[in-house]
Amino acid sequence: MKNCSPKNRKIRHLEGISLRNLSLLQSSAEIQEPKTADDESLPHTFITPTKALALREKKLEHSRSSNDLRTPPTSRQALDGTNGKGDSSTDLGKVRPLRGKIRRRSTLNWTSAPPQVRQKKLEDVASSRLADTWFSLHCQDVDEPIYVSEVVEKAMNFDFRFFDLNTYGPWITRRDELTIKFWARTDSQQQYKLVLELQVHFRSLQYIGRSLENFRHPLPQNCVLLHLSDGIYTSFTDLPLDEPVLAISTGLKNAQGGQCTSTFDELMRLSNLDDCIQDALATREKITSQINSILQKQKEDRELVQSAAQAQNSWTSTKRAVSSAQKQIRAAQSRRSELQASLQARRDAIRSGTISQEKSESHLRSERNDLADQMSLHKETQSGVRGQIRRICEDLLQIYPVEPIAKKALAFTIRDLPLPNATSPSPDAATTAAALGYVAHVTHLLSLYLSVHLPYAITVCGSSSTIYDPISASLQSEAARTFPLSQKGAVAYRFEYGVFLLNSDIELLMSRQGIKIVDLRHTLPNLKYLLTVLTSGRGEPPERKGGKSGLGTFSREGSPARKLYTTDEDDGSVEEANGSLTRSLFLNGKKGSLRAQSPLGTNIQPEEDVQLPRRRPGRRRRRMRRWFRKWKELSFRHTWANPLIIILLVLALYAIQPNPTNPLHAAIFLSYPLSPSDSLIPAAIRADPEAPIHYGKGRKDFAFVAFYIVVLSFTREFTMQRILRPLARWFKLRSRSKENRFMEQTYTALYFGVFGPYGLYVMYRSPVWYFDTAGMYETFPNRTHEALFKAYYLLQASYWAQQALVLCLGLEKPRRDYRELVGHHIVTLALIGLSYRFHFTYMGLAVYITHDISDFFLASSKTLSYIDARFTSGYFAFFIAVWVYLRHYINLVILHSVTTTFASIGPFELNWEEQQYKCSLAQYITFSLLASLQAMNLFWLYFIARVAVRVLSGGEKKDDRSDEEDEDEDGKDEKEEKAREREKALMADNSKAVASATALDGKPTGANGHLERETQAPVTIPTINGEVKKRK
């Protein structure tokens, strides 16, 4: 991995911190020592790098004149009586005056001490350097530390635990400045002390390497190492120079308490350093002048190179802009052509519509005149119909007069026969039955004349009339639903219920005329009230309308002067009183002559029998039912017919207006094409002039998925019935269940054999080629896709939705894992829908391919097993390897990426406006669905392992989920076939035996030697189920 650009280094790249060479020495500001006048100005003087290096070395060198400075041998302060070179001779003439005792101090005064003392000294030295340390991270404008590390005990070099700062949000992780505070304490200290505070600027960090193994340079004290995502960095310049300044020898104060000063050696060293500084400054000035002269000479060349590079960049950007503009021009021209064609089509449609409107207006004027004539005719007809109904009801009142009984309230007679109300006792059963027969007849005729369908049908038969109840659910048989209107030979409650139904019919007739009934139990008062209302009106009723002989039953005086019906001599049709009577006469649709019934119940023979036309009011309904039954049989026999009809209908409707304005365009083609400069398209793709057209997402995609569900349904059923079924019979698969399984698995192998390579090609063109999990999140959100990607994703959604429909409709026989298969389809459809809606399509693409390829090998291995191929075992072993690799290893890698790189790569926040859905909630939902899918795959892996163990042990290669059921069905088919053969054989034997017996007895036989139908003896034949039945 390349190093991060300094501008791109942020806090989110920081993964860990280490500390090297911990130093707990006090700073020079904290050392309380006597200072000279020169020492006061040292911190404010210019410190060169050479001087700083000399101060770090802590090594004093002798000045040039120090060789002549010797110690007198007689002085007690001499060092063992020798001079600086180890010579025992002294020069009294060159003795340096001393101001006190000078003795060389030994730094290892315990070198000759016992081992216990030395061990104790070493432990003390080590304990003074070792400490317990921890650090905290701080950001500007944040009061509390954003991270506090663990405590590392007893060490000088600290490697703290790595951490992840992405959980603090982009407000923290996108900064490039950070403050690090190190806190430490030794064994002698009670509280932690701030030993180092470092302000880190990520842009100014110095790169060390991927690790410290090959780094050989010494590190300074309190060196902080920053572990970033691409290597180890440090900040030497940011370290404070907090090392102790060379200790200034205090010397010995004079007896009078004079002020201490620097030694001669230190002054000489300062002089040498000053000379070096002056030389370095002079050298720097010289080098600077040389560099300036060289740059001045090469100024024109540099300007030319810069101008050439700028011109190259300008030419490249101009070429890209020209290419993009040309592409936009082509798109605009294409769009203009489409709009012009659409406008022309609209102009033609407007022109044709205008012509049609003019024709319609001319027709409308004429039709308005006709409407006025028809309305006047309608009013005349309505008045005529009301007059005819009034006349007919007056005739009914003359035929069946309803008169009140004197001195009895609400008591009436019909044709002089009293009929008590339901609340009064019946004096005579025969009289009551005859009166109820009259009432039933009048009610039946009124229903015909008024065109009112009675809910309880009346069968008119004089005093033996009945009424039918088709509504009550507690009645089972037809006889139980028929109630008598006479008390003779009938149960009392059935007779009373029949009278109640008759009163209900009278109530319905009154309600249709707007009459409010007072009491349902008053039969004759209600009927009298109804007839009175129907015969009310002004003027004389109209005359009857009929043929040559007229139409009517009796004259207005009540004599039977005219007959009920007559015939027309020209065409033999029946002339009737009005349209309502015609419809009512033809309701039953009976053939034969029409006979009228007199008020006394006797039939009246007309002048001649009239053959009525055969009308069946239920014929249209029965025809519709017959067509529906044929369509249903055709749908079951050819299941591909209905999808084909829908496809052809959609294509035909689209062919009427084949352009994007047609609503069916979204069902056949992809929707939401975007322009190359659309902001939804990623910037890298917009910059590429050769990039394909991208498509967005929207509700029209549902129409695309729905239409191709129908297309895939037709493809599946047509392929299975017209191609795969003959192939199964060619392979001699006689069992119906095995034949169905063969067709299902072969179609599945064909489908995934096409869409598996298609998906791999789509993945090759995407950032997730060969299951690169980082590519799933780098470009999130994926709101646009090219045509190949979107078509693949939506067609896969159509396939799985169509499979769910097959499962719900029961087109495939359920197996033992039916519940798991239903759960698999639910999880799959949820993953497809959510990934497409919330822009996790690259993850969905990877999951698609893992299942498509493994399903191809699963279906093909089962197909080979059904036809008993020789290489089935080897192919099955290869299938197991593919299954485990794709459905378990690759899917577990995707699951692991959901828990790790899902949050670390790309944005991780919920923003509905920017359609940014990669957040904690999406992470939990995605992990749950993928984990559920993995659990189901493990369940099926168990069945696969059982089959593999059975194959290795020398058993049969069969699927535990469905093969046992297929074997049971195979056994049933064989038993049924054997039973049919036995039945045919027994029928032949019985026929021969009967024929021979008949021939011997001399009885007549048919033309083929058997008995006639009415004389044949019953033949005993065993059925398929093993039962015995008799046939003639």
Side-chain angles (χ1 to χ4, degrees):
M1 181 185 293
K2 296 182 180 180
N3 298 339
C4 291
S5 175
K7 295 183 180 179
N8 295 332
R9 294 189 197 126
K10 305 295 180 182
I11 293 179
R12 65 172 178 268
H13 298 120
L14 183 61
E15 297 179 351
I17 294 177
S18 299
L19 181 63
R20 293 291 184 268
N21 302 331
L22 176 64
S23 175
L24 299 177
L25 294 179
Q26 294 181 340
S27 63
S28 59
E30 297 176 352
I31 299 177
Q32 300 296 331
E33 294 183 356
K35 299 180 179 179
T36 63
D38 297 334
D39 293 332
E40 293 292 338
S41 60
L42 284 178
H44 304 286
T45 57
F46 177 75
I47 301 176
T48 62
T50 308
K51 185 175 181 180
L53 180 61
L55 291 175
R56 287 195 190 97
E57 291 177 354
K58 299 180 181 179
K59 180 179 178 182
L60 294 177
E61 297 179 357
H62 294 286
S63 63
R64 297 177 181 176
S65 61
S66 62
N67 293 331
D68 299 332
L69 300 178
R70 294 181 174 84
T71 307
T74 57
S75 176
R76 296 181 182 179
Q77 292 79 11
L79 300 176
D80 299 330
T82 61
N83 55 13
K85 297 182 180 180
D87 191 1
S88 59
S89 60
T90 59
D91 190 357
L92 297 177
K94 299 180 179 180
V95 176
R96 181 179 180 182
L98 299 177
R99 295 178 56 190
K101 295 183 178 180
I102 297 178
R103 183 178 63 85
R104 187 166 186 171
R105 186 176 179 183
S106 175
T107 58
L108 294 176
N109 53 2
W110 45 273
T111 53
S112 60
Q116 294 81 2
V117 177
R118 297 178 62 187
Q119 180 67 24
K120 184 66 172 62
K121 290 289 185 178
L122 289 174
E123 290 178 356
D124 294 341
V125 172
S127 62
S128 64
R129 298 296 300 275
L130 302 180
D132 301 340
T133 307
W134 57 277
F135 71 92
S136 60
L137 303 180
H138 303 264
C139 286
Q140 189 177 2
D141 300 331
V142 179
D143 297 333
E144 298 295 330
I146 63 173
Y147 179 76
V148 178
S149 70
E150 74 280 4
V151 178
V152 179
E153 299 178 352
K154 306 301 181 187
M156 291 181 61
N157 298 323
F158 303 88
D159 292 325
F160 295 94
R161 188 182 304 164
F162 278 36
F163 48 82
D164 185 9
L165 299 178
N166 288 320
T167 57
Y168 295 98
W171 187 62
I172 297 297
T173 59
R174 292 180 180 177
R175 300 190 180 190
D176 58 352
E177 294 183 6
L178 183 68
T179 302
I180 307 175
K181 295 182 180 181
F182 287 87
W183 307 78
R185 71 174 182 183
T186 59
D187 293 339
S188 61
Q189 296 176 351
Q190 296 296 330
Q191 297 182 352
Y192 287 95
K193 180 182 178 183
L194 179 63
V195 297
L196 180 60
E197 180 176 355
L198 181 62
Q199 182 72 22
V200 178
H201 299 273
F202 284 83
R203 297 187 178 182
S204 61
L205 295 179
Q206 299 180 7
Y207 181 75
I208 293 179
R210 297 292 296 177
S211 63
L212 295 175
E213 297 177 357
N214 299 326
F215 188 77
R216 303 303 182 186
H217 300 283
L219 297 174
Q221 292 182 357
N222 295 335
C223 180
V224 180
L225 301 178
L226 305 177
H227 296 267
L228 271 65
S229 58
D230 59 336
I232 301 174
Y233 290 81
T234 186
S235 178
F236 293 109
T237 58
D238 289 346
L239 288 175
L241 295 175
D242 199 15
E243 297 188 7
V245 185
L246 294 175
I248 301 176
S249 176
T250 57
L252 297 176
K253 296 183 179 180
N254 54 11
Q256 290 81 13
Q259 185 178 4
C260 297
T261 183
S262 300
T263 61
F264 182 78
D265 294 336
E266 293 172 349
L267 294 175
M268 294 302 296
R269 185 179 179 189
L270 290 175
S271 177
N272 292 336
L273 290 176
D274 185 64
D275 295 339
C276 294
I277 290 170
Q278 297 299 326
D279 294 339
L281 293 175
T283 304
R284 187 186 66 179
E285 294 294 335
K286 183 178 180 180
I287 294 174
T288 302
S289 62
Q290 292 177 356
I291 292 173
N292 291 333
S293 62
I294 293 173
L295 291 176
Q296 188 65 26
K297 292 179 181 179
Q298 297 179 353
K299 182 178 180 180
E300 297 180 358
D301 298 337
R302 287 187 289 105
E303 291 178 353
L304 182 61
V305 171
Q306 292 177 359
S307 61
Q310 293 176 358
Q312 182 69 24
N313 295 333
S314 177
W315 178 79
T316 303
S317 60
T318 304
K319 182 179 179 182
R320 188 182 298 111
V322 168
S323 177
S324 178
Q326 290 177 352
K327 192 171 183 180
Q328 293 178 0
I329 289 172
R330 289 194 297 271
Q333 290 176 350
S334 176
R335 178 63 178 169
R336 184 187 63 183
S337 301
E338 293 178 359
L339 291 176
Q340 288 177 351
S342 177
L343 289 175
Q344 185 62 33
R346 292 182 181 181
R347 291 191 187 98
D348 297 339
I350 291 172
R351 191 179 301 108
S352 61
T354 304
I355 296 173
S356 300
Q357 184 177 2
E358 293 176 354
K359 292 181 180 179
S360 299
E361 288 178 354
S362 61
H363 290 305
L364 182 60
R365 286 190 294 269
S366 61
E367 293 297 332
R368 282 176 180 171
N369 299 328
D370 296 341
L371 178 61
D373 299 337
Q374 294 295 331
M375 289 181 66
S376 61
L377 180 62
H378 177 68
K379 290 180 180 179
E380 294 176 0
T381 305
Q382 280 186 342
S383 62
V385 168
R386 285 193 296 269
Q388 292 294 335
I389 291 175
R390 175 187 171 191
R391 182 191 57 75
I392 292 171
C393 291
E394 288 182 357
D395 292 343
L396 286 177
L397 276 177
Q398 292 178 4
I399 297 170
Y400 296 102
V402 179
E403 302 295 338
I405 300 176
K407 299 181 181 179
K408 287 186 179 181
L410 296 177
F412 290 84
T413 62
I414 180 169
R415 292 188 64 84
D416 299 330
L417 295 178
L419 178 63
N421 298 323
T423 57
S424 303
S426 177
D428 186 7
T431 303
T432 302
L436 287 175
Y438 292 151
V439 173
H441 192 194
V442 173
T443 305
H444 177 66
L445 292 177
L446 285 176
S447 68
L448 299 179
Y449 298 149
L450 300 177
S451 299
V452 177
H453 176 72
L454 298 178
Y456 307 107
I458 299 172
T459 302
V460 180
C461 191
S463 60
S464 301
S465 299
T466 58
I467 192 167
Y468 182 76
D469 179 15
I471 300 175
S472 300
S474 59
L475 304 176
Q476 302 297 330
S477 62
E478 296 291 330
R481 293 181 179 273
T482 304
F483 296 91
L485 295 177
S486 63
Q487 294 178 342
K488 184 178 179 180
V491 184
Y493 83 89
R494 290 180 59 80
F495 168 72
E496 294 174 356
Y497 189 70
V499 175
F500 168 74
L501 296 180
L502 179 61
N503 291 331
S504 299
D505 286 344
I506 296 174
E507 179 191 11
L508 177 64
L509 293 174
M510 296 179 70
S511 64
R512 290 296 177 87
Q513 300 301 320
I515 304 173
K516 184 176 180 181
I517 191 169
V518 178
D519 193 343
L520 181 66
R521 297 172 294 179
H522 298 165
T523 306
L524 283 180
N526 293 334
L527 184 61
K528 177 66 175 179
Y529 187 21
L530 175 62
L531 291 173
T532 302
V533 172
L534 291 175
T535 56
S536 62
R538 297 180 181 179
E540 292 294 328
E543 296 182 356
R544 299 182 180 90
K545 297 179 180 180
K548 296 180 178 180
S549 302
L551 177 66
T553 54
F554 299 93
S555 64
R556 294 187 59 80
E557 290 77 10
S559 61
R562 287 171 290 185
K563 298 180 180 179
L564 183 63
Y565 300 105
T566 183
T567 60
D568 189 85
E569 295 178 357
D570 296 332
D571 54 0
S573 61
V574 180
E575 296 293 331
E576 302 165 351
N578 51 30
S580 301
L581 182 60
T582 303
R583 291 192 297 271
S584 61
L585 286 175
F586 290 155
L587 267 177
N588 295 327
K590 297 181 180 179
K591 291 182 179 180
S593 61
L594 178 64
R595 296 180 182 273
Q597 192 176 35
S598 70
L600 299 177
T602 59
N603 293 330
I604 300 176
Q605 182 69 31
E607 295 179 354
E608 59 182 356
D609 291 341
V610 180
Q611 190 74 18
L612 294 179
R614 183 179 181 182
R615 287 193 179 183
R616 297 182 181 178
R619 174 182 292 179
R620 183 177 301 173
R621 188 181 304 168
R622 287 193 298 271
R623 186 184 297 111
M624 295 298 295
R625 291 178 180 175
R626 184 167 60 253
W627 280 106
F628 177 75
R629 193 182 303 111
K630 290 182 179 180
W631 171 78
K632 188 176 180 181
E633 293 176 358
L634 179 65
S635 299
F636 278 110
R637 188 179 301 110
H638 305 291
T639 53
W640 49 268
N642 289 331
L644 179 60
I645 293 172
I646 296 173
I647 294 170
L648 295 177
L649 180 61
V650 172
L651 294 178
L653 292 176
Y654 179 74
I656 298 174
Q657 188 179 359
N659 53 56
T661 59
N662 193 324
L664 296 177
H665 184 274
I668 304 174
F669 303 100
L670 296 176
S671 303
Y672 306 107
L674 302 176
S675 62
S677 60
D678 197 289
S679 60
L680 292 177
I681 303 176
I685 299 176
R686 290 201 305 268
D688 186 7
E690 303 298 331
I693 298 176
H694 274 234
Y695 290 81
K697 304 174 184 177
R699 296 180 180 178
K700 293 183 180 180
D701 295 335
F702 287 103
F704 185 88
V705 173
F707 176 72
Y708 282 94
I709 287 175
V710 180
V711 173
L712 289 176
S713 300
F714 164 73
T715 306
R716 179 183 186 275
E717 299 303 323
F718 184 83
T719 304
M720 290 174 60
Q721 294 186 13
R722 295 298 179 184
I723 300 175
L724 299 181
R725 190 183 296 278
L727 185 63
R729 292 174 180 173
W730 186 78
F731 281 115
K732 299 180 181 180
L733 299 177
R734 297 182 178 179
S735 172
R736 179 60 62 87
S737 60
K738 185 172 289 187
E739 180 180 305
N740 292 334
R741 296 295 184 195
F742 172 81
M743 293 190 298
E744 294 168 3
Q745 298 302 324
T746 307
Y747 171 76
T748 304
L750 290 174
Y751 175 82
F752 289 116
V754 174
F755 273 80
Y758 180 22
L760 287 174
Y761 177 70
V762 172
M763 176 184 276
Y764 176 75
R765 295 171 59 90
S766 68
V768 293
W769 167 238
Y770 208 76
F771 310 106
D772 182 10
T773 56
M776 300 176 184
Y777 317 113
E778 288 177 347
T779 59
F780 186 87
N782 309 118
R783 294 179 289 179
T784 63
H785 296 290
E786 59 179 347
L788 287 174
F789 190 101
K790 184 175 181 179
Y792 173 78
Y793 215 89
L794 294 181
L795 288 175
Q796 286 284 67
S798 302
Y799 172 79
W800 287 106
Q802 186 260 344
Q803 287 296 105
L805 289 177
V806 169
L807 198 66
C808 295
L809 297 177
L811 298 181
E812 292 184 0
K813 184 178 179 181
R815 295 174 291 190
R816 291 186 178 181
D817 59 346
Y818 178 77
R819 296 180 179 178
E820 291 77 10
L821 198 60
V822 171
H824 176 269
H825 281 70
I826 292 174
V827 173
T828 303
L829 292 176
L831 279 171
I832 294 171
L834 294 177
S835 64
Y836 189 76
R837 170 60 183 83
F838 296 104
H839 313 312
F840 291 96
T841 47
Y842 283 156
M843 183 184 297
L845 174 65
V847 177
Y848 266 147
I849 293 174
T850 58
H851 286 70
D852 289 356
I853 298 176
S854 58
D855 281 339
F856 167 75
F857 287 100
L858 171 62
S860 56
S861 63
K862 294 189 70 174
T863 302
L864 294 175
S865 176
Y866 288 141
I867 62 177
D868 295 330
R870 295 181 180 179
F871 54 91
T872 305
S873 299
Y875 191 84
F876 183 71
F878 180 72
F879 152 69
I880 294 177
V882 173
W883 177 281
V884 173
Y885 175 72
L886 291 176
R887 288 217 178 187
H888 297 285
Y889 174 73
I890 296 297
N891 276 272
L892 288 175
V893 170
I894 297 174
L895 268 175
H896 181 262
S897 71
V898 173
T899 59
T900 55
T901 57
F902 188 93
S904 61
I905 296 180
F908 189 72
E909 60 181 354
L910 180 60
N911 191 336
W912 293 92
E913 295 180 356
E914 298 182 0
Q915 300 186 21
Q916 169 57 252
Y917 307 118
K918 191 158 73 72
C919 57
S920 301
L921 179 61
Q923 187 178 19
Y924 295 147
I925 295 174
T926 304
F927 183 84
S928 301
L929 293 175
L930 290 178
S932 302
L933 201 62
Q934 184 61 216
M936 297 175 194
N937 291 334
L938 290 173
F939 171 77
W940 284 313
L941 181 63
Y942 167 72
F943 285 101
I944 295 172
R946 288 184 59 180
V947 176
V949 171
R950 190 181 296 112
V951 171
L952 292 176
S953 60
E956 298 180 0
K957 302 182 288 296
K958 65 179 183 179
D959 189 357
D960 294 338
R961 302 175 299 163
S962 58
D963 286 351
E964 294 180 1
E965 301 173 1
D966 295 343
E967 291 177 357
D968 296 339
E969 292 183 0
D970 295 345
K972 291 181 181 179
D973 294 341
E974 293 177 359
K975 290 180 181 179
E976 290 179 0
E977 187 175 356
K978 292 180 180 179
R980 292 192 191 96
E981 293 177 356
R982 288 198 303 268
E983 182 178 356
K984 291 179 181 179
L986 287 174
M987 288 179 64
D989 295 340
N990 289 333
S991 300
K992 292 178 182 179
V994 171
S996 60
T998 304
L1000 292 175
D1001 295 340
K1003 295 182 179 179
T1005 61
N1008 54 358
H1010 296 285
L1011 290 173
E1012 295 293 343
R1013 185 173 183 84
E1014 59 271 17
T1015 59
Q1016 288 181 357
V1019 180
T1020 303
I1021 299 174
T1023 61
I1024 296 175
N1025 297 328
E1027 300 177 355
V1028 176
K1029 66 179 182 180
K1030 294 183 179 181
R1031 290 186 180 179
K1032 287 188 178 182

